[in-house]
Amino acid sequence: FDGTAYTFAPGTFTDTVTVTHTPRFFGAISSTGELTGIRHFFETTAVYSTGGQPAQPLLPYTVTVEYSDSEQAYAVEETLGLWAWDGQAWGQAGIDGAVEVAENRVIAHVDHFSLFGVLGQGRRVYLPLLLKGG
């Protein structure tokens, strides 16, 4: 329902897993600093079906996030990308991706599970300041 799709190649896991995609409310997300979010934040986890132990992919998998023009409104579309939260800061370690502007989607190859967000540079407008003498 949030425009996110996953593709896993054969051999990504050593056994059957359950992958969980959990959308996250943007208001509860840690600061994105100089980056602007487009309200696509989600956490991806996986557990082995036998034993319930956490699983990490052995091969990169693909995440595709579709967005609307209104969602991207305050971000520079050409700069959008998938970013991961490492517990301290947003970064792109282990993520190789690109934005497809004409299709309104971000496609990334990712080698781990995490809290993710689609972020980009924000539009900033600086207005002149006029002071009148009194």
Side-chain angles (χ1 to χ4, degrees), residues 2 4 6 8 13 17-24 42-48 55 61 63 112-116:
D2 68 352
T4 305
Y6 298 88
F8 297 94
F13 303 100
V17 298
T18 300
V19 176
T20 303
H21 170 88
T22 308
R24 297 293 183 201
F42 54 93
E43 187 168 4
T44 307
T45 59
V47 295
Y48 285 105
Y61 62 98
V63 179
H112 63 285
F113 295 130
S114 183
L115 171 64
F116 296 103

Side-chain angles (χ1 to χ4, degrees), residues 32-39 41 72 74-83 92 106 117-124:
T32 57
E34 295 291 318
L35 298 169
T36 297
I38 65 165
R39 298 186 178 193
F41 293 95
Q72 159 280 296
Y74 298 108
V76 178
E77 190 170 15
E78 294 78 8
T79 68
L80 292 177
L82 189 67
W83 292 69
Q92 290 187 301
V106 171
V118 177
L119 308 172
Q121 294 175 1
R123 297 183 193 276
R124 296 202 190 323

Side-chain angles (χ1 to χ4, degrees), residues 51-94:
Q53 294 298 313
Q56 286 293 330
L58 300 174
L59 301 171
Y61 62 98
T62 303
V63 179
T64 303
V65 181
E66 296 182 352
Y67 58 88
S68 67
D69 288 332
S70 63
E71 290 172 316
Q72 159 280 296
Y74 298 108
V76 178
E77 190 170 15
E78 294 78 8
T79 68
L80 292 177
L82 189 67
W83 292 69
W85 178 252
D86 69 4
Q88 302 290 323
W90 292 96
Q92 290 187 301

Side-chain angles (χ1 to χ4, degrees), residues 83-132:
W83 292 69
W85 178 252
D86 69 4
Q88 302 290 323
W90 292 96
Q92 290 187 301
I95 301 173
D96 179 28
V99 62
E100 294 181 344
V101 173
E103 290 79 17
N104 281 22
R105 66 181 168 214
V106 171
I107 297 178
H109 304 287
V110 185
D111 70 0
H112 63 285
F113 295 130
S114 183
L115 171 64
F116 296 103
V118 177
L119 308 172
Q121 294 175 1
R123 297 183 193 276
R124 296 202 190 323
V125 176
Y126 297 95
L127 301 175
L129 176 63
L130 300 174
L131 298 175
K132 287 187 172 185

